[in-house]
Amino acid sequence: MRTDTPRGTLPAREHLLAHTAGRPVLDVVIPVYNEEKDLERCVRRLHDHLVRTFPYGFRITVADNASTDATPQVATWLAHSIPEVEAYRLEEKGRGRALRTVWSHSDAPVLAYMDVDLSTDLNALLPLVAPLISGHSDLAIGSRLARSSRVVRGPKREFISRAYNLILRGSLAARFSDAQCGFKAIRREVAERLLPMVEDTGWFFDTELLVLAERAGLRIHEVPVDWVDDPDSTVHIVSTATEDLKGVWRVGRALAVGALPLDRLARPFGDDPRDRQLSGVPGGLARQLVGFCVVGALSTLLYLLLYSLFRAGVGPQVANAGALLLSAVANTAANRRLTFGIRGRERAVRHQAQGLVVFGVGLALTSGSLAALDAAATSPTHGTELAVLIAANLAATMLRFLLFRAWVFPDRRDDDVTADRDAPADRHVPSDHERPASELPYTVRNSR
């Protein structure tokens, strides 16, 4: 799983200007493989629609996936015949590979793609990209499964599509309705961050991109579409479904172990109203308090359960220490991920070590309370012990939150900003679209 996405935050989303110094606002990519019969008709129909209805500059890019027929020649001829058309030739197959390559090289601020058969009604194109142009959303997808969509296709494809999306909802907790509709768009600055994380180069590319975007908290806009099935589609359902299920397993496993640095994408644009600084209220404090209280309540229940189990066989001090130790490890791990939003394995051991120091403070408070109770009452009841421990744990909880926030999981955003500000001015990490083709893992040739 690739994790080499650039660090730092993205700028706030803004409405794109209608005129962008000669470059197009929208780049529509059409991935093709052996489509010599339909390519010219598709491109000319799409071009005519954009000329008539799209108020911004645009480009149509034909991405040829190692076709073995006359598709490359047709694409080259179209690129020379129509000013707004360009052609790329890739020597390896894969829709995801084609989209990654062209999107990485495009200079357009909004990137889209659609299938060559134009099964989706083109009237949905402007509603698809409008939220990206206005700065409202980060990605946009066409949905054939929305209630207001009008779809004509056979029962087998309908069943497979709905079953696949149910699998995504059940296994990856996906909330978008249609992962595989060949009608999507993304803002370029978002693509620059997401594409290095997407491993698949085939049909699962769309799903992986959407799952990572959704888990990172990016805004996905859905557009109901009118869609007519292409009876001559060359997609192999069984092999595609098999590869998709493998991809679901791979991504699910990576998310489960925290292998993806999604914290680098979470609310990256600096325009979340919840992040606005309020006088006297540290940023994010309210959300952290809620998360800490929920984790604390569950940890307290776990602690009391463990204490009761241990107390049946050992003395109160040993039972308290054991229950507190186990619940503290679980508490630190839960707060690390849920309260303070830290994912991945980086510094996990250090955080647990610091959490054990905080655990020592809690142990001192609770053990001292038990010792004081034992000195005040010769044979305290089990209920009295629990009451004293609950009171001591409340005091320890307040102190634990302050130590977690200030010491164990401090907010490093200010440090990152300072580091970026102090970095040399000439240090520049080129994005994929700025790199020459010789440095890319794909063979790319522009026909123009």
Side-chain angles (χ1 to χ4, degrees):
M1 183 67 64
R2 298 174 178 173
T3 58
D4 53 340
T5 180
R7 291 182 179 272
T9 58
L10 291 169
R13 293 186 298 261
E14 295 181 353
H15 196 300
L16 300 175
L17 300 178
H19 303 287
T20 54
R23 62 173 178 160
V25 170
L26 173 66
D27 192 348
V28 182
V29 181
I30 304 176
V32 293
Y33 174 73
N34 288 349
E35 297 286 354
E36 60 180 2
K37 294 181 180 179
D38 298 327
L39 181 57
E40 181 181 358
R41 175 182 56 83
C42 161
V43 170
R44 291 194 178 279
R45 179 183 165 196
L46 175 59
H47 178 265
D48 178 67
H49 176 82
L50 289 172
V51 168
R52 290 186 295 104
T53 66
F54 195 68
Y56 293 83
F58 66 88
R59 177 193 301 133
I60 300 172
T61 303
V62 179
D64 174 38
N65 289 146
S67 294
T68 57
D69 62 359
T71 298
Q73 289 76 25
V74 175
T76 301
W77 181 76
L78 288 170
H80 286 298
S81 303
I82 306 174
E84 291 84 7
V85 174
E86 290 190 359
Y88 271 81
R89 166 71 176 178
L90 289 87
E91 300 299 338
E92 295 180 83
K93 292 178 62 177
R95 181 177 69 176
R97 177 178 287 109
L99 294 177
R100 184 203 308 277
T101 302
V102 177
W103 281 357
S104 297
H105 282 76
S106 179
D107 59 350
V110 176
L111 311 170
Y113 95 89
M114 61 179 57
D115 293 333
V116 67
D117 54 20
L118 297 186
S119 295
T120 304
D121 182 24
L122 292 179
N123 287 326
L125 182 56
L126 184 55
L128 181 81
V129 301
L132 308 186
I133 293 175
S134 69
H136 175 270
S137 300
D138 307 312
L139 298 91
I141 65 174
S143 176
R144 299 163 297 183
L145 303 181
R147 290 187 177 182
S148 57
S149 298
R150 294 178 292 186
V151 177
V152 178
R153 62 176 168 179
K156 182 172 70 172
R157 287 183 176 271
E158 180 76 10
F159 172 78
I160 292 174
S161 180
R162 292 188 179 275
Y164 179 64
N165 281 279
L166 285 176
I167 292 173
L168 293 181
R169 288 177 179 270
S171 59
L172 300 179
R175 295 189 297 273
F176 47 84
S177 64
D178 192 351
Q180 290 287 27
C181 180
F183 195 67
K184 295 182 176 69
I186 185 172
R187 285 179 67 106
R188 188 184 66 188
E189 69 268 22
V190 179
E192 289 174 350
R193 298 303 178 88
L194 273 179
L195 291 180
M197 293 187 181
V198 179
E199 183 174 325
D200 191 80
T201 59
W203 293 97
F204 187 70
F205 174 88
D206 302 51
T207 302
E208 188 170 356
L209 184 77
L210 290 174
V211 169
L212 298 185
E214 188 174 72
R215 286 299 186 95
L218 302 182
R219 181 173 289 171
I220 301 175
H221 177 73
E222 293 199 18
V223 178
V225 297
D226 298 338
W227 194 85
V228 179
D229 191 14
D230 178 14
D232 299 323
S233 175
T234 59
V235 177
H236 300 287
I237 297 178
V238 175
S239 60
T240 300
T242 302
E243 292 302 316
D244 285 346
L245 292 177
K246 291 180 180 178
V248 169
W249 167 256
R250 174 176 53 80
V251 173
R253 182 178 57 185
L255 292 172
V257 300
L260 292 169
L262 296 180
D263 54 303
R264 303 182 194 173
L265 291 170
R267 296 185 290 104
F269 297 97
D271 60 349
D272 193 322
R274 296 172 296 181
D275 289 336
R276 294 172 185 167
Q277 297 294 324
L278 302 178
S279 177
V281 180
L285 178 61
R287 281 172 291 167
Q288 291 179 357
L289 276 173
V290 172
F292 184 82
C293 289
V294 172
V295 172
L298 297 176
S299 299
T300 300
L301 292 176
L302 176 63
Y303 164 78
L304 294 175
L305 176 62
L306 292 173
Y307 178 81
S308 299
L309 292 175
F310 294 160
R311 187 67 179 85
V314 297
Q317 293 288 2
V318 176
N320 173 65
L324 196 59
L325 175 61
L326 293 179
S327 61
V329 171
N331 181 278
T332 300
N335 275 307
R336 181 178 187 269
R337 183 176 182 87
L338 302 178
T339 303
F340 298 96
I342 300 176
R343 297 177 175 85
R345 300 177 182 178
E346 185 179 1
R347 302 189 180 208
V349 175
R350 176 179 176 179
H351 290 156
Q352 281 292 348
Q354 291 173 307
L356 289 178
V357 175
V358 178
F359 150 77
V361 176
L363 178 62
L365 283 174
T366 53
S367 298
S369 300
L370 284 175
L373 175 63
D374 187 62
T378 305
S379 298
T381 64
H382 183 64
T384 304
E385 286 182 354
L386 289 180
V388 170
L389 286 175
I390 290 174
N393 266 288
L394 288 176
T397 297
M398 295 177 62
L399 181 59
R400 184 162 59 246
F401 176 74
L402 295 176
L403 290 174
F404 273 171
R405 182 176 171 83
W407 180 49
V408 183
F409 308 114
D411 190 348
R412 299 183 180 275
R413 285 178 296 181
D414 294 338
D415 296 340
D416 294 339
V417 172
T418 302
D420 291 341
R421 187 186 305 120
D422 295 338
D426 58 349
R427 187 185 68 181
H428 175 63
V429 179
S431 59
D432 285 344
H433 74 275
E434 296 174 311
R435 297 165 58 191
S438 60
E439 296 181 9
L440 293 172
Y442 321 107
T443 301
V444 182
R445 291 198 292 266
N446 193 317
S447 65
R448 301 187 72 178

